């Protein structure tokens, strides 16, 4: 397969601290007892850096999943706070990007602009922000609300949030700080700007009390695959986390998002689309199947059923396990992840699964089992045939599954010329081949100067 000299973009994803799977903590190779030990995270980030991943991505949520008893008894609810974690990891890594999920629904632009700018400075330009709107009533109740914002409203709020945050990052022009001890001038006041942002949801005066991040803006990531999510991605995102699925589904989403860019004055190379992939590695196909069976059997039936109930917004526990779900979940009025619900609806329409088979399928939704060569073939097929710019790699358990991927799959990708042998730049934008955004105030002055001439 031709790769036309493109390089894979790779994220090392930590969806749960023990791994991608809701029951990863139970895997025989899991080191779940280390979830609150910084050395655990240090080892994982350093291994991903050794494997020349573009970034380490830490997913976050703002609640304990207590909608069902099984969410407490059987699922991992422990998540360290992301800014504390990534700041510490910045000190023990030198090249890998550091990304985290940050909600636009339960934060304010000034706080997040300041924290991300600080992380970008302290990491030497390696920060990234996965922009999410959150999705559950459980989160809402932790922030003084009874119900989560409606889907369209929270995306409207997210759009304003990003606009205000980017404006705050532009507060200081690149050469605004003088540090002139002789004259006593710390900064050039003419190169500091108030934002004076006013929208429906936010009113932010500015300026930010930290200078412009080394990358201009930390890299912006978006993961929504709903209509609203795809529009936000096309308008603002630089990295898109896609859900994976079949090759046809991946290619269709890839073409859909790339096809929306022109109306926002953007070119296809300004955005990288990274589907999720959970590789399960075996020395042989049979061994890989055995490893997949281990993963599929980690989750108790009760937990799998409750997770399915969560995803579709209907309690399915009263239906027979060995018969199909007797209804198709409705999209109308649904206020959690619409793309997740749509995927479940597609499975129900296309496959004849019993209720417990469906529940187990949802739990292991991103799994691909095979030998290292087969996994590399899968990655190359998507990458070389217009379905992906790289992958957000998830792991059945940590740190072992990451160790295996770096030892067994990464060398194959490198031999095929698909993955870098060494980092060529120092910032995350360098790794992804993304340009640094112009400071809006500097650009205005350039335009003004040309007009005056």
């Amino acid at each position: 397969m031709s790769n036309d000299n493109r390089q894979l973009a790779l994220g090392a994803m930590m969806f749960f601290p023990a791994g991608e799977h809701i029951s990863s903590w139970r895997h025989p190779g899991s080191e779940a007892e280390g979830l609150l030990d910084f050395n655990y995270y240090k080892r994982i980030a350093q291994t991903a850096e050794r494997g020349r991943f573009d970034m380490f991505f830490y997913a976050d949520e703002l609640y304990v999943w207590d909608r069902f008893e099984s969410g407490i008894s059987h699922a991992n609810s422990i998540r360290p706070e992301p800014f504390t974690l990534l700041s510490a990891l910045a000190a023990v890594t030198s090249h890998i990007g550091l990304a985290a999920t940050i909600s636009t629904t339960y934060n304010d632009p000034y706080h997040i602009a300041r924290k991300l700018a600080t992380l970008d400075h302290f990491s030497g330009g390696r920060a990234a922000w996965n922009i999410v709107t959150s999705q559950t009533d459980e989160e809402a109740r932790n922030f003084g609300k009874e119900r989560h914002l409606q889907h369209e409203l929270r995306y409207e709020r997210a759009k304003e949030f990003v606009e205000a945050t980017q404006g705050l990052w532009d507060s200081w022009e690149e050469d605004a700080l003088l540090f002139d001890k002789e004259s006593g001038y710390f900064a050039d006041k003419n190169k500091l700007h108030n934002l004076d942002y006013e929208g429906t949801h936010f009113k932010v005066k500015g300026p930010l009390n930290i200078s412009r991040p080394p990358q201009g803006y930390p890299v912006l990531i978006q993961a929504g695959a709903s209509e609203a999510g795809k529009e936000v991605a096309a308008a603002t995102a630089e990295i898109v986390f896609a859900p994976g699925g079949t090759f046809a589904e991946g290619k269709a989403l890839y073409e859909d998002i790339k096809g929306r860019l022109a109306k926002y004055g953007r070119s296809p190379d300004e955005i990288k689309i990274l589907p999720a992939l959970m590789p399960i590695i075996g020395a042989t196909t049979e061994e890989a199947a055995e490893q997949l069976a281990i993963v599929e059997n980690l989750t108790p039936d009760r937990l799998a059923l409750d997770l399915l109930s969560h995803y579709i917004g209907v309690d399915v526990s009263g239906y027979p396990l060995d018969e199909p779900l007797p209804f198709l979940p409705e999209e109308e009025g649904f206020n959690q992840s619409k793309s997740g619900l749509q995927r479940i609806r597609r499975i129900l329409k296309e496959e004849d699964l019993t209720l417990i088979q469906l529940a187990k399928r949802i739990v292991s939704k991103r799994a691909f089992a095979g030998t290292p060569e087969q996994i590399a073939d899968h990655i190359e097929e998507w990458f070389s045939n217009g379905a992906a710019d790289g992958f957000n790699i998830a792991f059945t358990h940590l740190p072992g599954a990451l160790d295996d991927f770096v030892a067994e799959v990464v060398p194959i990708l490198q031999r095929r010329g698909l993955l870098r042998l060494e980092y060529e730049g120092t910032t995350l934008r360098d790794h992804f081949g993304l340009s640094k955004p112009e400071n809006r105030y500097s650009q205005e002055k350039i335009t003004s100067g040309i007009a005056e001439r």
Side-chain angles (χ1 to χ4, degrees):
M1 297 179 189
S2 169
N3 64 61
D4 52 69
N5 297 319
R6 292 163 63 223
Q7 292 283 297
L8 276 165
L10 289 183
M13 175 163 61
M14 181 179 276
F15 193 81
F16 293 96
E20 160 68 15
H21 200 273
I22 194 168
S23 300
S24 287
W25 68 272
R26 290 190 68 202
H27 194 283
S30 168
E31 297 181 17
E33 65 279 1
L35 298 186
L36 291 175
D37 181 349
F38 174 67
N39 288 316
Y40 171 83
Y41 299 93
K42 173 183 173 181
R43 175 182 166 188
I44 289 166
Q46 289 180 338
T47 300
E49 186 168 68
R50 189 171 68 251
R52 301 300 182 255
F53 278 73
D54 293 81
M55 67 182 174
F56 167 77
F57 165 57
Y58 178 75
D60 190 39
E61 292 176 327
L62 299 170
Y63 70 108
V64 169
W65 185 46
D66 58 359
R67 187 178 305 186
F68 302 95
E69 187 274 336
S70 66
I72 304 297
S73 300
H74 300 298
N76 170 38
S77 308
I78 300 298
R79 295 178 186 269
E81 192 281 318
F83 281 108
T84 306
L85 174 62
L86 295 188
S87 296
L89 290 176
V92 296
T93 56
S94 57
H95 286 84
I96 194 166
L98 301 167
T101 297
I102 304 164
S103 173
T104 60
T105 305
Y106 302 113
N107 282 295
D108 279 296
Y110 197 94
H111 282 309
I112 298 310
R114 188 184 186 205
K115 291 176 180 180
L116 279 167
T118 302
L119 178 62
D120 206 47
H121 277 288
F122 285 3
S123 66
R126 294 187 282 137
W129 171 19
N130 178 35
I131 304 161
V132 302
T133 64
S134 298
Q135 58 177 295
T136 68
D137 290 342
E138 286 92 337
E139 287 169 291
R141 289 191 284 270
N142 287 332
F143 294 89
K145 306 180 192 315
E146 282 302 310
R147 305 284 297 176
H148 193 39
L149 284 175
Q150 287 299 308
H151 190 267
E152 291 75 15
L153 188 60
R154 61 182 188 257
Y155 272 96
E156 178 186 292
R157 177 187 166 96
K159 182 175 181 293
E160 286 192 9
F161 194 112
V162 174
E163 289 173 350
T165 304
Q166 290 175 318
L168 288 167
W169 285 328
D170 283 341
S171 296
W172 300 82
E173 294 184 39
E174 302 288 349
D175 56 351
L177 299 185
L178 301 175
F179 302 114
D180 190 335
K181 295 181 180 180
E182 184 75 23
S183 67
Y185 281 100
F186 179 84
D188 182 344
K189 66 179 181 61
N190 295 316
K191 295 184 177 181
L192 176 63
H193 305 275
N194 289 336
L195 176 60
D196 293 321
Y197 183 89
E198 188 164 354
T200 303
H201 302 276
F202 298 105
K203 185 175 182 180
V204 186
K205 183 178 186 297
L208 195 63
N209 62 345
I210 184 167
S211 56
R212 197 165 194 251
Q215 296 186 103
Y217 305 156
V219 173
L220 301 181
I221 304 168
Q222 205 273 335
S226 65
E227 275 302 305
K230 286 185 283 192
E231 281 300 311
V232 170
T236 64
E238 296 167 299
I239 304 297
V240 174
F241 289 157
T246 66
F247 175 81
E249 290 170 339
K251 187 174 178 65
L253 181 62
Y254 186 91
E255 292 174 348
D256 184 356
I257 293 175
K258 296 270 186 174
R260 297 172 189 245
L261 296 175
K263 66 182 176 183
Y264 295 104
R266 306 180 70 194
S267 62
D269 61 356
E270 291 182 55
I271 195 167
K272 307 291 184 185
I273 298 177
L274 276 59
L277 174 65
M278 184 169 68
I280 298 178
I281 304 171
T284 64
T285 302
E286 293 73 23
E287 184 181 309
E290 292 170 4
Q291 293 298 317
L292 175 59
I294 290 173
V295 173
E296 290 178 334
N297 291 324
L298 291 175
T299 304
D301 288 356
R302 175 77 265 170
L303 177 58
L305 290 167
D306 288 343
L307 193 64
L308 175 61
S309 299
H310 175 95
Y311 285 148
I312 67 174
V314 178
D315 187 352
V316 301
S317 61
Y319 296 101
L321 298 184
D322 57 353
E323 296 179 14
L325 187 68
F327 64 91
L328 187 66
E330 294 294 333
E331 288 187 68
E332 186 176 352
F334 189 72
N335 197 37
Q336 292 183 178
S337 171
K338 288 188 180 290
S339 58
L341 179 65
Q342 288 163 358
R343 179 177 178 272
I344 294 171
R345 283 170 56 88
R346 283 197 301 272
I347 292 172
L348 286 169
K349 289 177 182 178
E350 296 169 4
E351 300 183 49
D352 185 21
L353 300 177
T354 65
L355 176 58
I356 193 61
Q357 287 173 334
L358 175 64
K360 294 286 190 177
R361 168 74 65 83
I362 299 308
V363 169
S364 300
K365 57 184 180 286
R366 299 180 175 101
F368 181 89
T371 65
E373 289 283 349
Q374 289 170 334
I375 290 167
D377 288 344
H378 176 82
I379 290 171
E380 185 171 4
E381 179 189 13
W382 280 56
F383 179 64
S384 299
N385 293 286
D389 295 308
F391 285 86
N392 200 24
I393 306 293
F395 302 98
T396 56
H397 61 287
L398 288 167
L402 171 60
D403 293 338
D404 293 343
F405 186 86
V406 169
E408 299 179 41
V409 180
V410 163
I412 298 172
L413 298 173
Q414 290 174 325
R415 285 198 298 271
R416 295 183 186 185
L418 297 170
L419 182 65
R420 65 173 66 86
L421 296 175
E422 299 292 342
Y423 293 104
E424 295 182 0
T426 59
T427 71
L428 185 52
R429 288 186 176 277
D430 291 337
H431 303 343
F432 284 130
L434 299 169
S435 60
K436 179 178 179 177
E438 282 277 359
N439 186 306
R440 68 192 65 195
Y441 301 107
S442 299
Q443 189 60 43
E444 284 176 5
K445 289 185 177 180
I446 291 169
T447 305
S448 171
I450 293 171
E452 287 174 2
R453 290 193 212 106

mmCIF file of all heavy atoms in Angstrom, residues 255-275:
data_model
loop_
_atom_site.group_PDB
_atom_site.id
_atom_site.type_symbol
_atom_site.label_atom_id
_atom_site.label_comp_id
_atom_site.label_asym_id
_atom_site.label_seq_id
_atom_site.Cartn_x
_atom_site.Cartn_y
_atom_site.Cartn_z
ATOM 1 N N GLU A 255 -14.843 11.626 5.199
ATOM 2 C CA GLU A 255 -15.205 12.467 4.049
ATOM 3 C C GLU A 255 -16.231 13.522 4.433
ATOM 4 O O GLU A 255 -16.195 14.653 3.926
ATOM 5 C CB GLU A 255 -15.735 11.576 2.921
ATOM 6 C CG GLU A 255 -14.653 10.677 2.323
ATOM 7 C CD GLU A 255 -15.200 9.692 1.300
ATOM 8 O OE1 GLU A 255 -16.455 9.552 1.213
ATOM 9 O OE2 GLU A 255 -14.388 9.057 0.595
ATOM 10 N N ASP A 256 -17.129 13.175 5.338
ATOM 11 C CA ASP A 256 -18.149 14.123 5.788
ATOM 12 C C ASP A 256 -17.499 15.328 6.469
ATOM 13 O O ASP A 256 -17.755 16.491 6.104
ATOM 14 C CB ASP A 256 -19.098 13.413 6.753
ATOM 15 C CG ASP A 256 -20.265 14.285 7.217
ATOM 16 O OD1 ASP A 256 -20.315 15.480 6.848
ATOM 17 O OD2 ASP A 256 -21.129 13.769 7.951
ATOM 18 N N ILE A 257 -16.624 15.066 7.443
ATOM 19 C CA ILE A 257 -16.005 16.173 8.183
ATOM 20 C C ILE A 257 -15.075 16.974 7.292
ATOM 21 O O ILE A 257 -15.123 18.215 7.273
ATOM 22 C CB ILE A 257 -15.260 15.636 9.424
ATOM 23 C CG1 ILE A 257 -16.276 15.067 10.427
ATOM 24 C CG2 ILE A 257 -14.443 16.757 10.077
ATOM 25 C CD1 ILE A 257 -15.647 14.394 11.627
ATOM 26 N N LYS A 258 -14.243 16.293 6.519
ATOM 27 C CA LYS A 258 -13.330 17.017 5.624
ATOM 28 C C LYS A 258 -14.112 17.852 4.614
ATOM 29 O O LYS A 258 -13.690 18.950 4.228
ATOM 30 C CB LYS A 258 -12.419 16.029 4.893
ATOM 31 C CG LYS A 258 -11.474 15.236 5.799
ATOM 32 C CD LYS A 258 -10.152 15.929 6.015
ATOM 33 C CE LYS A 258 -9.188 15.041 6.805
ATOM 34 N NZ LYS A 258 -7.833 15.595 6.933
ATOM 35 N N GLY A 259 -15.268 17.351 4.193
ATOM 36 C CA GLY A 259 -16.086 18.059 3.212
ATOM 37 C C GLY A 259 -16.753 19.305 3.750
ATOM 38 O O GLY A 259 -17.233 20.147 2.980
ATOM 39 N N ARG A 260 -16.818 19.465 5.069
ATOM 40 C CA ARG A 260 -17.439 20.642 5.678
ATOM 41 C C ARG A 260 -16.457 21.803 5.844
ATOM 42 O O ARG A 260 -16.864 22.909 6.195
ATOM 43 C CB ARG A 260 -18.018 20.284 7.052
ATOM 44 C CG ARG A 260 -19.140 19.263 7.019
ATOM 45 C CD ARG A 260 -19.521 18.830 8.424
ATOM 46 N NE ARG A 260 -20.443 17.698 8.403
ATOM 47 C CZ ARG A 260 -21.705 17.724 8.841
ATOM 48 N NH1 ARG A 260 -22.200 18.832 9.363
ATOM 49 N NH2 ARG A 260 -22.465 16.651 8.782
ATOM 50 N N LEU A 261 -15.165 21.554 5.648
ATOM 51 C CA LEU A 261 -14.159 22.551 6.003
ATOM 52 C C LEU A 261 -14.186 23.778 5.098
ATOM 53 O O LEU A 261 -13.926 24.894 5.551
ATOM 54 C CB LEU A 261 -12.766 21.914 5.970
ATOM 55 C CG LEU A 261 -12.525 20.805 6.998
ATOM 56 C CD1 LEU A 261 -11.159 20.178 6.774
ATOM 57 C CD2 LEU A 261 -12.622 21.344 8.408
ATOM 58 N N ALA A 262 -14.467 23.580 3.821
ATOM 59 C CA ALA A 262 -14.374 24.685 2.856
ATOM 60 C C ALA A 262 -15.272 25.853 3.227
ATOM 61 O O ALA A 262 -14.898 27.023 3.061
ATOM 62 C CB ALA A 262 -14.712 24.181 1.454
ATOM 63 N N LYS A 263 -16.450 25.563 3.775
ATOM 64 C CA LYS A 263 -17.367 26.665 4.094
ATOM 65 C C LYS A 263 -16.871 27.505 5.266
ATOM 66 O O LYS A 263 -17.375 28.594 5.516
ATOM 67 C CB LYS A 263 -18.771 26.146 4.365
ATOM 68 C CG LYS A 263 -18.938 25.293 5.585
ATOM 69 C CD LYS A 263 -20.399 24.831 5.667
ATOM 70 C CE LYS A 263 -20.623 23.884 6.824
ATOM 71 N NZ LYS A 263 -22.018 23.399 6.853
ATOM 72 N N TYR A 264 -15.872 26.987 5.985
ATOM 73 C CA TYR A 264 -15.247 27.760 7.063
ATOM 74 C C TYR A 264 -13.884 28.298 6.648
ATOM 75 O O TYR A 264 -13.098 28.748 7.484
ATOM 76 C CB TYR A 264 -15.102 26.892 8.319
ATOM 77 C CG TYR A 264 -16.431 26.477 8.912
ATOM 78 C CD1 TYR A 264 -16.919 25.178 8.744
ATOM 79 C CD2 TYR A 264 -17.229 27.387 9.609
ATOM 80 C CE1 TYR A 264 -18.140 24.789 9.276
ATOM 81 C CE2 TYR A 264 -18.452 27.002 10.140
ATOM 82 C CZ TYR A 264 -18.905 25.711 9.965
ATOM 83 O OH TYR A 264 -20.120 25.330 10.485
ATOM 84 N N GLY A 265 -13.606 28.241 5.332
ATOM 85 C CA GLY A 265 -12.342 28.764 4.817
ATOM 86 C C GLY A 265 -11.141 27.937 5.211
ATOM 87 O O GLY A 265 -10.024 28.451 5.304
ATOM 88 N N ARG A 266 -11.346 26.642 5.443
ATOM 89 C CA ARG A 266 -10.272 25.762 5.887
ATOM 90 C C ARG A 266 -9.985 24.694 4.833
ATOM 91 O O ARG A 266 -10.870 24.290 4.085
ATOM 92 C CB ARG A 266 -10.633 25.095 7.214
ATOM 93 C CG ARG A 266 -11.025 26.068 8.312
ATOM 94 C CD ARG A 266 -11.379 25.338 9.597
ATOM 95 N NE ARG A 266 -10.193 24.741 10.224
ATOM 96 C CZ ARG A 266 -10.253 23.834 11.181
ATOM 97 N NH1 ARG A 266 -11.435 23.390 11.618
ATOM 98 N NH2 ARG A 266 -9.142 23.357 11.717
ATOM 99 N N SER A 267 -8.749 24.223 4.812
ATOM 100 C CA SER A 267 -8.360 23.163 3.879
ATOM 101 C C SER A 267 -8.312 21.826 4.612
ATOM 102 O O SER A 267 -8.171 21.790 5.850
ATOM 103 C CB SER A 267 -6.993 23.465 3.268
ATOM 104 O OG SER A 267 -5.998 23.504 4.271
ATOM 105 N N PRO A 268 -8.395 20.706 3.890
ATOM 106 C CA PRO A 268 -8.439 19.385 4.540
ATOM 107 C C PRO A 268 -7.242 19.077 5.424
ATOM 108 O O PRO A 268 -7.366 18.328 6.400
ATOM 109 C CB PRO A 268 -8.511 18.424 3.350
ATOM 110 C CG PRO A 268 -9.167 19.214 2.263
ATOM 111 C CD PRO A 268 -8.646 20.614 2.438
ATOM 112 N N ASP A 269 -6.072 19.648 5.117
ATOM 113 C CA ASP A 269 -4.897 19.329 5.931
ATOM 114 C C ASP A 269 -4.845 20.123 7.234
ATOM 115 O O ASP A 269 -3.923 19.941 8.039
ATOM 116 C CB ASP A 269 -3.612 19.545 5.130
ATOM 117 C CG ASP A 269 -3.429 20.983 4.660
ATOM 118 O OD1 ASP A 269 -4.341 21.808 4.884
ATOM 119 O OD2 ASP A 269 -2.381 21.272 4.059
ATOM 120 N N GLU A 270 -5.839 20.974 7.483
ATOM 121 C CA GLU A 270 -5.888 21.728 8.735
ATOM 122 C C GLU A 270 -6.555 20.949 9.858
ATOM 123 O O GLU A 270 -6.676 21.441 10.981
ATOM 124 C CB GLU A 270 -6.624 23.056 8.531
ATOM 125 C CG GLU A 270 -5.863 24.051 7.672
ATOM 126 C CD GLU A 270 -6.603 25.369 7.541
ATOM 127 O OE1 GLU A 270 -6.928 25.958 8.580
ATOM 128 O OE2 GLU A 270 -6.861 25.797 6.399
ATOM 129 N N ILE A 271 -6.986 19.737 9.559
ATOM 130 C CA ILE A 271 -7.648 18.924 10.579
ATOM 131 C C ILE A 271 -7.212 17.475 10.405
ATOM 132 O O ILE A 271 -7.087 16.980 9.296
ATOM 133 C CB ILE A 271 -9.188 19.075 10.461
ATOM 134 C CG1 ILE A 271 -9.895 18.545 11.698
ATOM 135 C CG2 ILE A 271 -9.739 18.422 9.231
ATOM 136 C CD1 ILE A 271 -11.370 18.945 11.768
ATOM 137 N N LYS A 272 -6.925 16.807 11.516
ATOM 138 C CA LYS A 272 -6.516 15.405 11.506
ATOM 139 C C LYS A 272 -7.613 14.585 12.174
ATOM 140 O O LYS A 272 -8.051 14.912 13.288
ATOM 141 C CB LYS A 272 -5.208 15.196 12.276
ATOM 142 C CG LYS A 272 -4.057 16.105 11.843
ATOM 143 C CD LYS A 272 -3.544 15.769 10.472
ATOM 144 C CE LYS A 272 -2.340 16.636 10.118
ATOM 145 N NZ LYS A 272 -1.877 16.422 8.732
ATOM 146 N N ILE A 273 -8.037 13.529 11.506
ATOM 147 C CA ILE A 273 -9.109 12.690 12.029
ATOM 148 C C ILE A 273 -8.519 11.372 12.526
ATOM 149 O O ILE A 273 -7.878 10.641 11.774
ATOM 150 C CB ILE A 273 -10.188 12.450 10.962
ATOM 151 C CG1 ILE A 273 -10.806 13.798 10.559
ATOM 152 C CG2 ILE A 273 -11.256 11.492 11.477
ATOM 153 C CD1 ILE A 273 -11.834 13.723 9.469
ATOM 154 N N LEU A 274 -8.733 11.097 13.834
ATOM 155 C CA LEU A 274 -8.143 9.937 14.494
ATOM 156 C C LEU A 274 -9.248 9.036 15.049
ATOM 157 O O LEU A 274 -9.790 9.308 16.127
ATOM 158 C CB LEU A 274 -7.221 10.374 15.641
ATOM 159 C CG LEU A 274 -5.781 10.769 15.330
ATOM 160 C CD1 LEU A 274 -5.697 11.921 14.348
ATOM 161 C CD2 LEU A 274 -5.050 11.123 16.627
ATOM 162 N N PRO A 275 -9.617 7.974 14.331
ATOM 163 C CA PRO A 275 -10.576 7.019 14.889
ATOM 164 C C PRO A 275 -9.997 6.299 16.104
ATOM 165 O O PRO A 275 -8.780 6.159 16.245
ATOM 166 C CB PRO A 275 -10.812 6.028 13.742
ATOM 167 C CG PRO A 275 -10.323 6.727 12.513
ATOM 168 C CD PRO A 275 -9.230 7.640 12.956
#
